[in-house]
Amino acid sequence: MTIADHDPRSATDRTIEQARRHQAGAAPALPVVVATAEGAWVTDIEGRRYLDLSSSTGALTFGHRHPALVAVAADQLTRSTVTSAAVHDDRRAEFAAALAELAGGELVLPVTTSDEAIGVALAAASRGGSAAGGPASVVVAAGSHERLVAAGARTVPFGDGGALTDAVDSTTTAVVLEPVGAGVIAAPAGYLAAARELCTERGATLIVDETRSGLGRSGATFAMGPSDGVPDIRVLGPALGGGIVPSAAVVGTRKLLGDVAVAASGSVLAAAIGRRVVELLGTGEIQARAAALAEHLRGRLAALPGSGVAAVRTAGVQAGIDIEPAAGGAADVARRLVARGVLVEVAGPETIVLAPPLVIRATELDWAIEQLRVVLAN
């Protein structure tokens, strides 16, 4: 017998206490210890199952352990996983070529995290921008990585075209925007196209971060589509890792990325998985599925306001739901949903976010929304 056999606490409580004592960093918001996962579901160490709607970063766009992606990962594990920066490898070359074609870019830099990708994008913009008339500056829409942008950055309200126009001048090297901001706030119609036109006119590099909105989640491959124009640099995030490994990428022009001094940090394993992700997106099937799920989600959530919900916002297959204070606040609602087998993310004191994998069934989504109705009614 072990000491744990005599501990009256649950396995969940023991594990959370162990993490609290020895694991640095912000603690997870929900008291769930996941042991296994498949598709849109996870199972905790005590055998309880949960429908997982908590992928607002996009890492689980293709769900847990997608069979096609697991097969690629297993095969690559028999070949190689990491190579040094001193040599080429076949997987990253294939991945870069495929992603460049998918995203309409010239060059791709595979990296490990979205934060790293934003840093590379800003460095590239600083070299490519003119910044005539004064010290270089960056304009960032609120919620779009303010903490990663230089101290001299100007932050403007997200979605406010007038404020963006006023902020961008001859010193601006880059504008950083997201098509969908924190809390699932979608850019208003025409905003991205206006930003593209403004940056072209004033010589600034347009960096669009599609971590939350790209690679199928919007119902299209990218939320900033052809009618909006093409950004100078597009940042793509964890969905490239297929829910298996950390992965991100910077896609841009040869002029901006051609002399970037940063070595690709993405692993060979991540590149192999990313190449398969691009292939899946290339068929258009996941985007069509997402478009249908987005319409279904919008319709099912339309009746929620007034029942403990102040507002609902959807953008593709994700929703931001503002909880009225009388209903207990976002964190309380998220914890109560755990007891009913549903995992959601909390985005501030008032907002929960539903961001299910694109492999979820419409009936599963309906069941989760029904659990939310029950929680709000009690």
Side-chain angles (χ1 to χ4, degrees), residues 130-135 137 154 167-173 202:
S130 58
S137 66
R154 306 170 192 172
V168 177
D169 59 25
S170 60
T171 73
T172 305
T173 58
R202 301 191 181 177

Side-chain angles (χ1 to χ4, degrees), residues 191-250:
Y191 178 66
L192 298 174
R196 172 66 282 175
E197 185 177 348
L198 177 67
C199 288
T200 300
E201 175 188 308
R202 301 191 181 177
T205 297
L206 178 60
I207 300 171
V208 172
D209 177 9
E210 293 240 23
T211 296
R212 276 190 274 248
S213 59
L215 302 174
R217 186 160 290 277
S218 68
T221 306
F222 303 110
M224 184 171 181
S227 63
D228 301 311
V230 179
D232 298 301
I233 296 177
R234 201 187 305 261
V235 170
L236 300 172
L240 290 169
I244 300 173
V245 293
S247 186
V250 185

